[in-house]
Amino acid sequence: MALLSYNNGEWAEVYIFFKVIADRKLYTADAAFNPIKNIYLDVLSVIREEIEGQVYKYKTGDFVTILLNHEPVGTVRVDEFIKYKNLLWKLLEENTQTTFSSEEIEKFLNSIHIFNPKSPAHIVSKFCGGTVDIVIETKDRSGINRILGFSCKSDLRTAATLLNASGENTNFIYEVTGSMDDNKMDHFNSIFKKVKRKGETCFDIATTDRMQYLHDIGCDLNFVGNAKNQARTNLIKCGGKEMPDIVAGMLKKYYFKNLSGLTSMEDCVEYLAENDVAGYGFEDLKDTYRGKIAQLLLCTFTGMRLGSPWNGRQEVNGGYIVVKNNGDVVAFHSTIADEFKDFLVAKMIMESPSHSRHKDMVIYKEGDKYFLKLALQLRFSLSR
């Protein structure tokens, strides 16, 4: 039988599974990304369900008891979880390939009834949400037991995305105003950069150069609307009628004002407040816009996708578990709403996706007006 092959992020989920069982605690992270030693959840068990109707529970302790539909089916010393946790961490540190396999770890997983590490729990996932990677039964400091679904991310090499561009679903339309004409449109659309990719010469859309050209010829961008009405609807459900304008302002700050350079959420807050893109017309605008961005990030984290109908409900009830680049595992709890929002705002940056794939960053003409689409993508900036 061929060995399972997973990428670093997928193996990181297995590492988290081993570590929370071994540690029996899940520490909360502070704003500086460090574990808070006196704020944690006791891990009582991890719940998995690869085959619907077959619910496995891994109860923590010196001996990890494995239950299938509440009936004991095995016991494993916790030392085994520690052993394979350490082995997997060594592989994660040393691996330089896109994906890798481990016969030793796979055999151990199979011995504890895990054959597809990517399947956490059908029933519990329906309760916790479709973006859940691990389901944990916990006890907090007040003694309350909860079943929480967490999304797992790794800070090992490439930071994870919160929102991936998705064609027209994440495209925002702007009218190009100023001295634009057909010749200038054609010139804008002809600006590419030469890059080497897998030994071949490729020509990518030169985002920064295209935006700089608009500045050079005295053009500006005015938001018109979302390319897809579903995206507009979801954004309004998330943060009110002004939310499409707010996100459009964030995109303008990133692409047009910053020429697609590093743009944090605080940079966006500054720009939105200075220009009052929603037209609030009162003071203390930074707090208002920061709150709107925080709500957008939380809705996105908890299940909102711009291309799918959304009922406004949160689908992930736990938060994020992150593997740091030193092997620590820390959590950011969505159940502590304000602190979790602060984390999302502090750790998120704007990002430019593949423009050719998402059909943005090209000027087109309708009637006597010129338009440009900008794609939304958000990525964590987690590295420490």
Side-chain angles (χ1 to χ4, degrees):
M1 181 185 296
L3 291 177
L4 297 174
S5 184
Y6 294 110
N7 61 36
N8 284 320
E10 291 166 336
W11 278 119
E13 294 178 24
V14 179
Y15 176 80
I16 289 171
F17 170 68
F18 289 159
K19 187 161 176 62
V20 296
I21 288 179
D23 292 352
R24 309 177 211 177
K25 287 182 172 59
L26 182 57
Y27 288 96
T28 298
D30 62 19
F33 206 56
N34 298 311
I36 305 172
K37 293 302 183 182
N38 62 339
I39 302 180
Y40 56 84
L41 297 172
D42 286 311
V43 176
L44 304 180
S45 67
V46 176
I47 301 170
R48 296 181 51 81
E49 187 185 8
E50 291 183 20
I51 299 173
E52 194 160 3
Q54 295 183 13
V55 180
Y56 284 90
K57 180 179 284 192
Y58 299 80
K59 297 184 68 173
T60 60
D62 292 339
F63 289 87
V64 178
T65 303
I66 305 172
L67 306 174
L68 170 58
N69 296 336
H70 308 294
E71 295 295 328
V73 293
T75 303
V76 182
R77 288 183 62 88
V78 73
D79 293 348
E80 290 292 289
F81 284 85
I82 296 170
K83 170 187 171 181
Y84 288 103
K85 175 202 70 163
N86 293 337
L87 172 60
L88 180 51
W89 180 249
K90 188 170 185 289
L91 292 174
L92 285 166
E93 283 190 307
E94 296 175 350
N95 175 57
T96 58
Q97 304 300 313
T98 304
T99 63
F100 67 93
S101 302
S102 170
E103 182 175 6
E104 193 173 354
I105 291 173
E106 186 172 338
K107 283 183 177 179
F108 175 65
L109 289 171
N110 293 169
S111 75
I112 58 173
H113 309 281
I114 295 176
F115 300 91
N116 179 9
K118 289 294 293 177
S119 298
H122 291 287
I123 293 173
V124 182
S125 288
K126 289 175 185 175
F127 168 72
C128 297
T131 55
V132 165
D133 296 314
I134 189 169
V135 177
I136 303 176
E137 183 183 8
T138 68
K139 178 186 289 185
D140 63 21
R141 289 178 294 176
S142 63
I144 296 175
N145 288 22
R146 290 190 178 93
I147 294 176
L148 301 176
F150 290 86
S151 179
C152 297
K153 301 296 179 185
S154 70
D155 190 25
L156 303 176
R157 288 176 178 83
T158 304
T161 54
L162 175 70
L163 186 150
N164 284 302
S166 176
E168 293 286 63
N169 297 319
T170 47
N171 281 345
F172 288 64
I173 303 172
Y174 301 75
E175 182 182 355
V176 183
T177 61
S179 62
M180 181 55 61
D181 57 34
D182 288 2
N183 289 333
K184 291 173 182 174
M185 174 182 69
D186 292 341
H187 180 75
F188 177 95
N189 292 339
S190 70
I191 301 175
F192 291 89
K193 60 183 177 181
K194 186 187 295 185
V195 296
K196 284 281 189 181
R197 189 174 296 118
K198 296 182 179 179
E200 295 185 5
T201 299
C202 304
F203 293 89
D204 290 349
I205 289 175
T207 307
T208 299
D209 293 341
R210 290 192 181 194
M211 291 292 98
Q212 184 60 58
Y213 177 68
L214 292 183
H215 283 279
D216 293 342
I217 62 176
C219 286
D220 200 356
L221 300 178
N222 293 330
F223 178 55
V224 175
N226 295 90
K228 289 287 189 178
N229 192 57
Q230 185 65 63
R232 176 179 177 274
T233 299
N234 288 359
L235 289 174
I236 291 173
K237 286 183 179 181
C238 170
K241 286 186 176 180
E242 67 271 35
M243 190 60 91
D245 292 288
I246 289 172
V247 179
M250 296 166 63
L251 285 166
K252 184 174 179 179
K253 169 63 176 175
Y254 171 56
Y255 284 110
F256 188 67
K257 296 297 183 180
N258 280 8
L259 302 178
S260 70
L262 180 63
T263 303
S264 68
M265 294 301 99
E266 287 298 334
D267 294 330
C268 291
V269 169
E270 292 280 348
Y271 176 78
L272 296 171
E274 287 174 4
N275 294 274
D276 193 12
V277 300
Y280 289 124
F282 52 78
E283 297 181 357
D284 299 323
L285 286 174
K286 286 186 180 180
D287 288 341
T288 300
Y289 282 109
R290 186 180 292 106
K292 287 291 182 179
I293 290 177
Q295 182 63 19
L296 168 70
L297 300 179
L298 181 63
C299 289
T300 303
F301 166 78
T302 56
M304 182 186 74
R305 298 294 177 265
L306 295 185
S308 304
W310 181 59
N311 61 9
R313 295 177 63 86
Q314 294 186 10
E315 291 183 349
V316 176
N317 70 343
Y320 262 108
I321 298 177
V322 179
V323 182
K324 294 180 60 177
N325 54 20
N326 64 356
D328 282 348
V329 167
V330 292
F332 300 90
H333 302 301
S334 59
T335 50
I336 311 174
D338 289 337
E339 289 85 346
F340 188 65
K341 286 181 179 179
D342 290 343
F343 157 70
L344 292 173
V345 171
K347 303 301 180 184
M348 207 64 54
I349 59 174
M350 307 290 290
E351 187 178 56
S352 180
S354 167
H355 299 300
S356 59
R357 181 184 307 164
H358 300 288
K359 302 187 185 332
D360 70 306
M361 200 54 62
V362 175
I363 294 177
Y364 60 98
K365 188 177 182 181
E366 291 184 354
D368 60 351
K369 294 183 177 181
Y370 299 88
F371 299 93
L372 176 68
K373 295 176 183 176
L374 301 180
L376 176 65
Q377 185 158 296
L378 300 169
R379 181 175 293 278
F380 283 93
S381 178
L382 293 177
S383 295
R384 283 277 180 255

